Amino acid sequence: VPPGRQVQVAAGWDPFAFVDFHRAVVEGKLPQADDIAALKWAQRFEFELLFNYSLKLAMNSKSDAYLSGTPFEVPVLLEGQAFQLWAQRWGKGPVKILLVHGGPGCSHVVFDSLTSILSPLDYELIFWDQLGGGKSDCSAQSAPCHAEQPASLNDFVEQIEQVRTYMNLPAESTILLGHSWGVMLTIEHALKYPRGFRGYVLAGFPASLAAQMNRMQVLSDMNASNFFQSFICRKSPCPQSMLVGAAHCNSDLNARLLWTDGGMSCTGELCSWNRWADLGNITSPSLLMVGDFDIASPADVRTMAEMMPHARFIEFRNSGHAEWIDASAAFTQSLSAWVHEVFMERPELPASQLWDTSAIGGCQGVWAGLLFLGAVSLLSWKRQSAKTSKSTPLLPSPA
């Protein structure tokens, strides 16, 4: 591409890679004149590329400073009213993961660090903000719909379904991943649309608000000097995207539906939510994750897995609520192994797994380059030090 020409950066592509390649050649033994010229051209091209890309993002008020790519809007219809939801794709992999963030009223930003541990060649991540959160409609206090947006559980379930439909996400190759409040929505969607996804990942939340509030009381009694650092994000320093995502939530929607007193009390409209009796109806393959310092009780999450016909349970050691940050290497390996099992239909892994992240290492930049076969090999090696409790076969591919 001639210097001076604008270039659009594909999501997940590293714009520095080609410069690093040329630099490595020049710094090697006996570089040729053409190599030196190529490096100078690449450095100039890099500057122009990054300048054009940065300018484009800076002029887009909907852009995410921590996520490469271009956002777009998804139209949804709720209770006869039309709204726009913020969304963005990342990666070109065959396995699609639709991410359901926590809250209510927070945003996708807490998931941004997934792009540093998952390969864009293996996964396509679909980020989006629920109505009333992040950069979607009704989140700003000045928005006409801010105080009275549609906010029943069914309204949020329909958002998931309409996002899935709008983006043409095929059920046979798409996973729904819910975290925290997103677990509630994932469970509700699974019960209403049982064939909507190939499988589910439920991270960091029990099957009832009563169980969650019991856990919060236990954590409160521990009198931790820094609750966030002890039970939310234990990694130091915690990624900036996680800090921003946790700090910028729609507190009005949060209080309307669930939490007051920083999550220590539940006084909202949905505090009676309880799906323990319905977990057995979720028959698609499911992966349940929790940290041993999570705000969700590991015992509760394990019980959920035992009540679901085709579920795996994984507990990460020295991990808080942000499992993919505190236990990044173990998160990547366990997710990859489960994905391999679900998509390759090889039920060979134990149903429960306790990962010691100190033994694996917590490198945020681990890439799952050998996603399928390599992940299974790593998991087999780790199995000797893991605690297991049962083994159940997975379902065959959905029709």
Side-chain angles (χ1 to χ4, degrees):
V1 180
R5 177 178 173 182
Q6 279 199 348
V7 176
Q8 183 174 353
V9 182
W13 180 64
D14 180 4
F16 298 96
F18 70 101
V19 176
D20 292 339
F21 168 77
H22 287 299
R23 184 176 292 113
V25 172
V26 171
E27 292 175 354
K29 295 181 179 180
L30 301 176
Q32 302 297 311
D34 289 345
D35 297 325
I36 298 175
L39 174 61
K40 293 181 178 179
W41 175 86
Q43 289 173 327
R44 177 183 174 185
F45 180 45
E46 175 189 46
F47 171 80
E48 294 173 352
L49 183 149
L50 293 178
F51 176 81
N52 292 330
Y53 183 60
S54 299
L55 184 63
K56 181 178 180 181
L57 290 181
M59 297 179 66
N60 186 346
S61 62
K62 294 286 189 177
S63 65
D64 178 348
Y66 307 101
L67 186 64
S68 63
T70 303
F72 57 94
E73 293 184 326
V74 176
V76 296
L77 187 66
L78 304 171
E79 300 181 10
Q81 304 176 65
F83 301 96
Q84 300 286 334
L85 303 182
W86 183 99
Q88 186 168 319
R89 294 177 182 262
W90 179 90
K92 299 293 183 180
V95 178
K96 323 295 181 185
I97 302 181
L98 181 60
L99 302 166
V100 187
H101 63 73
C106 295
S107 75
H108 74 280
V109 176
V110 295
F111 285 132
D112 282 359
S113 55
L114 284 172
T115 62
S116 67
I117 63 173
L118 299 179
S119 169
L121 302 179
D122 297 319
Y123 293 102
E124 180 180 7
L125 304 181
I126 296 89
F127 298 85
W128 65 288
D129 289 338
Q130 299 156 26
L131 187 67
K135 298 180 182 296
S136 289
D137 284 355
C138 305
S139 60
Q141 287 189 331
S142 59
C145 59
H146 179 78
E148 299 180 353
Q149 72 165 73
S152 68
L153 272 179
N154 187 64
D155 290 323
F156 285 99
V157 169
E158 287 305 309
Q159 289 176 50
I160 295 175
E161 182 61 16
Q162 292 183 43
V163 168
R164 184 191 72 83
T165 303
Y166 182 83
M167 295 189 180
N168 296 314
L169 299 176
E172 64 273 10
S173 60
T174 307
I175 293 166
L176 187 62
L177 187 156
H179 176 251
S180 197
W181 148 263
V183 169
M184 292 176 57
L185 305 185
T186 299
I187 289 175
E188 292 296 323
H189 189 281
L191 294 172
K192 184 174 182 179
Y193 298 101
R195 290 294 179 180
F197 294 91
R198 183 66 174 268
Y200 304 99
V201 177
L202 310 178
F205 210 78
S208 73
L209 265 303
Q212 179 59 29
M213 298 320 298
N214 288 338
R215 173 65 170 179
M216 295 301 287
Q217 183 61 52
V218 170
L219 299 183
S220 176
D221 292 343
M222 295 174 67
N223 295 317
S225 59
N226 188 322
F227 189 92
F228 186 89
Q229 191 173 29
S230 298
F231 306 116
I232 304 296
C233 182
R234 294 174 62 83
K235 182 180 178 63
S236 182
C238 185
Q240 188 66 23
S241 58
M242 181 67 189
L243 297 175
V244 171
H248 293 80
C249 296
N250 181 344
S251 58
D252 295 327
L253 181 62
N254 202 291
R256 172 185 167 186
L257 298 183
L258 290 179
W259 316 115
T260 53
D261 190 25
M264 293 299 176
S265 300
C266 190
T267 58
E269 300 170 5
L270 303 179
C271 292
S272 62
W273 180 78
N274 186 329
R275 283 295 192 178
W276 285 107
D278 302 302
L279 292 176
N281 296 324
I282 301 177
T283 56
S284 295
S286 301
L287 178 64
L288 282 78
M289 297 178 164
V290 70
D292 56 354
F293 287 91
D294 209 317
I295 62 170
S297 165
D300 286 339
V301 179
R302 180 187 290 272
T303 300
M304 290 171 66
E306 292 172 348
M307 298 176 70
M308 299 168 70
H310 305 283
R312 293 289 187 266
F313 169 80
I314 297 178
E315 179 180 349
F316 300 113
R317 286 181 176 164
N318 196 29
S319 173
H321 199 42
E323 298 91 353
W324 64 97
I325 294 174
D326 290 339
S328 56
F331 177 94
T332 303
Q333 293 165 14
S334 56
L335 176 65
S336 299
W338 177 78
V339 166
H340 174 266
E341 180 182 351
V342 171
F343 282 80
M344 301 301 292
E345 300 175 8
R346 292 175 58 186
E348 58 189 33
L349 303 179
S352 295
Q353 198 85 14
L354 179 61
W355 286 90
D356 185 348
T357 59
S358 62
I360 296 175
C363 179
Q364 179 96 3
V366 173
W367 276 64
L370 300 175
L371 173 63
F372 293 134
L373 184 58
V376 171
S377 298
L378 285 170
L379 189 59
S380 298
W381 168 78
K382 188 61 188 174
R383 186 184 303 173
Q384 297 178 1
S385 61
K387 297 179 181 178
T388 63
S389 66
K390 68 174 184 176
S391 180
T392 52
L394 292 177
L395 287 177
S397 300

